[in-house]
Amino acid sequence: MRGPDMDSLEISLTVNGVPVRRRVEPRQSLVDFLRYELELTGSHVGCEHGACGACTVRVDGALVRGCLMLAVQADGCRVETIEGVAGRGEIFDLQQAFAEENALQCGFCTPGMLLTAHEILRQNPRADEMEIRKALSGNYCRCTGYHAIVEAVRKVGAARSGATR
Amino acid sequence: MNRDAKSAPATVAEAESYIGTSVVRPQTKRLLAGRGVFTDDIKLPRMTHVAFLRSPHAHARIVSIDTAPAKAVPGVVAVVTGEELARVCEGWVGTLAHFAGMKSAKQYALAIGKATWQGEPVVAVVAESRAIAEDGVARVLVRWEPLPVVTDAETALDPATPVIHPDLGDNLAFKLELTSGDVDRAFREADAVYRETFWMGRHTGVTLEPRVILADFDPPEQCLTVYHSFQAPNMMQDILARHLRLPEHNVRVVCKDVGGSFGIKVHIYPDEMATCALAVMLGRPVKFLADRVESFLSDIHARDHRVTAEIGVKRDGTILGMRLDDLTGIGPYSVYPRTSAVEGNQTVRLTPSVYRFRDYAASLKVVLQNKTPMCQYRAVGHPIAFAVMEAMVDRVAREIGLDPVEVRRKNFVTRDMYPYTSPTGYFFERLSHEEALEKLLEISDYRALCAERDRLRSRGIYRGLGLCAFVELTTPGPAFYGVGGARISSQDGCTIKLEPSGKLVCMTGVTEQGQGTDTMLAQVVASAVGVPLEDVRVLTGDTLVSPYGGGTWASRGAGIGGEAALLAGKALKENILKVAAAVLACEPLDLDLRRGKIVDAATGEVRLDLAELGRIAYFRPDTLPKDFQSELAVTRHYVPRHQGFAFTNGIQLSHVEVDVDTGFVRLLGHWAVEDCGRIINPRLVDEQMRGAIAQGIGAALFEHCVYDAEGQLLNATLMDYLVPMAAEMPPIGVGHIETPTAFSEGGFKGAGEAGVAGAPGAVLNAVNDALAPFKARVTRQPITPEIVLKALGRLEER
């Protein structure tokens, strides 16, 4: 049995715009790395098999499941988490709409929901209810029944597409 | 305060009430920024992690355990067996004294001698990281001797079936016979008697945040601090103190953000008790976080009933009487301390609640099995009771050729009959079945949907509409657990203190798990005291500082916590006005507190700012009369004394389309009307309804813990166990009726169970309505495509 230091690898990446260099075990998932090594606890772990979407983060601009990607695979990548995206004000309108519609209860799915919602609207701000529901279907929420989430996303989409027209 | 003072009008006309307003939850800001603090987000110095070796067998004797290879793994701190842990942590038995004859075996934090379900924790490995702890688990060597398993509830009591706990004599945990009136006579007088059997599958809570606990023990002080994703912190404090033999005031339970609970996080779990006991053993922090597979194997499961119902009716649809036979399988132990018998008990007691017939008989058997323990999940017993009752009512309508709406109208307990005691002894102060039905028909445009359904049938499109009326048990009083000997508080307290700045801090025993308890309480307190909502900060979930209470379960937050907050708020206002009168040299009665200003009660003219009052009371009491003592922190408690529960009611409608070729059920729409008494925040109630409806729909169509004959859970992942996702769910319309309870000043009742109580029955009835042209009928839940196709005769019954 080798100790963790012996088989760890060094990785360099940018997380929320900050350069990060760490030695990690090859088996560590990206979300565990973000949560436990960097203490960015906004991304959550719900299922560890890619079904629930609570660990959603952005890697080089694309949404990924933080539980299905290893930290070592993010070597050289640009990773953005809810802390970074929200901190920059990029999803201010979505956050506000989620609060107003009460589109969250316990808040555990919320970071993943917000990142996914933002991506849905980036691809199609005019997405209708059914399109939003389908696109949100990789994100599990046990509290809301999704109704308010869909409403919030739809309203922000309408506002964003109105603004870009 | 200066800014407020400048912009404030010279007079304040009336006190502002936030009760009944959909204010936005302030704490969502944190959650929306990824800055929530869930238990796994907490990290302590010298923290360790525990992983458990869990039984791979549903029933097996533990022949031997070799922990040496695990202990040799670098980074492993300790490897502990059941016998070793039992020296620190005493076992428990999950029975209630008022459930006559109830029995269960003693359960330990880690299995001793044998394991009784697949997933029971057997050996604990504590290490510097969770990954190393899992490495250690993989190296523990256990020799098993598999034993015959008991899985089928139907045969659990047969003489040929092995007895899981030989000391108990048999596998019967609890039985109950209820009779009211004379069902035999009612059935003799009936024009028709219909009989049907329902199988309501086992499912589970699937909180998105798995169960998690972090225990920190300080040996010199003998103090245990536990961070816990939990609903009842004082209950946990009491249990930890007693089972770990610590002074109660040395045990502190802190519940930060909780990522979903729904009744799953209100029970005593062996792995969580083990985690706390390990912290005491090791004198350093230990964290346990269930992974998703562990959640499926070890979170409590729910329901699992076989119910046979018989209903006797007149030709005009009048219900004369009903007989019910409920068999419930609960796994190998009744879960401590609430017990697994409450689910069946509530099922058989709730069933007749909505209707006026008096002749009722029910038989309940609660049996042990080698499956994950089953216990109380959101809307305990309700969804089974009302799915069965309402399916029988629809059956009556269909058989006799009556309108389902008219059959309900004819049999409802009507507004002139309240107060009303049900045949099973539940007291209903005043419910609103008729009003709720009318409102539901209106908001759903029911008649238009019926016309559309009928029109589409000729084109081969099979849609159905299903109603489900229900009552909801909320705000439980002391007769619920207290009389049974469970140390679960039915009272709750609220402390409010005025800060020198004029702001309020409110501490309460009820807890926040996403319902918006914090917001609801802030609304009540701000309204009662007379301050702006943003001047109230609410703190929940810390046993060291909050008044003793029961926490949040059985929809008790508003009815009990809200009432305590109202009483405390009024008392604080009184005390503030006494201070103001001392400052202003007048009578308290001449003054009022409105929007944070002391005003002249008659004219509304501003006399004193609350911050100025705070400054004087705390820093310059020398300027007040010598014999005057201000009291600017008050505590009030509330326990519902006048009725066992503040029952509420409601009704739901489901609209579905069934594909008769594939058996798939598509949800087209869902509507609910509920009456939770005086509403504090309508939007929060709407979302309680919608979230709960999704759980009920999950039970009706998707969720099922599937076991094989050996007691192996076959679908313990979110890839295999289906939960409703956004695309499966329809939009959900919600309407409200308000019938405040007269037994409390606030008139608040609970709202959290209603959605689950009605949704499965509504979906079941809707599917059967869609299948009616084929004379087909389903009575199994979840209603999978396989069940539908079998009912249609398009798939062979096995």
Side-chain angles (χ1 to χ4, degrees), chain B residues 398-415:
Chain B
R398 192 160 315 285
E399 298 269 0
I400 305 185
L402 299 169
D403 183 330
V405 172
E406 291 315 315
V407 179
R408 286 177 173 84
R409 278 195 187 123
K410 181 180 278 292
N411 289 289
F412 275 155
V413 177
T414 50
R415 60 174 77 86

Side-chain angles (χ1 to χ4, degrees), chain B residues 43-103:
Chain B
K43 199 171 178 179
L44 296 176
R46 296 184 71 240
M47 187 170 85
T48 62
H49 302 258
V50 60
F52 295 96
L53 182 144
R54 293 175 184 275
S55 172
H57 302 284
H59 198 193
R61 197 167 76 80
I62 302 166
V63 179
S64 65
I65 299 174
D66 180 3
T67 59
K71 284 177 175 158
V73 174
V76 165
V77 173
V79 184
V80 180
T81 63
E83 282 90 349
E84 289 162 355
L85 203 70
R87 286 178 216 137
V88 180
C89 182
E90 280 176 12
W92 54 85
V93 180
T95 52
L96 287 172
H98 65 307
F99 283 175
M102 186 182 183
K103 58 187 198 259

Side-chain angles (χ1 to χ4, degrees), chain B residues 2 90 109 118 128 150 183 243 256 274 303 330 366 399 468 509 523 576 586 595 600 625 657 659 676 691 761 768 776:
Chain B
N2 284 337
E90 280 176 12
Q118 178 217 8
E128 285 162 12
V150 182
V183 183
H243 291 269
K256 309 284 267 188
R303 321 304 180 204
I330 60 164
V366 177
E399 298 269 0
C468 185
Q523 288 178 256
I576 289 171
C586 64
R595 294 180 213 170
D600 184 287
E657 185 174 306
D659 182 326
C676 67
N768 280 330

Side-chain angles (χ1 to χ4, degrees), chain B residues 380-399:
Chain B
V380 182
H382 294 61
I384 309 302
F386 301 113
V388 168
M389 184 73 234
E390 291 291 88
M392 295 310 285
V393 169
D394 266 21
R395 168 106 192 259
V396 167
R398 192 160 315 285
E399 298 269 0

Side-chain angles (χ1 to χ4, degrees), chain B residues 648-714:
Chain B
T648 77
N649 68 282
I651 185 163
Q652 297 186 30
L653 174 71
S654 176
H655 185 210
V656 306
E657 185 174 306
V658 178
D659 182 326
V660 294
D661 294 318
T662 64
F664 272 94
V665 176
R666 186 157 68 95
L667 296 157
L668 302 174
H670 200 101
W671 294 264
V673 173
E674 64 72 52
D675 181 346
C676 67
R678 190 175 180 198
I679 297 180
I680 299 170
N681 184 319
R683 189 187 287 113
L684 295 183
V685 176
D686 287 355
E687 298 313 322
Q688 279 298 293
M689 290 298 295
R690 291 193 173 110
I693 285 168
Q695 289 179 6
I697 285 174
L701 293 178
F702 308 112
E703 301 185 36
H704 197 193
C705 297
V706 181
Y707 282 87
D708 70 7
E710 297 306 308
Q712 295 283 321
L713 182 58
L714 299 178

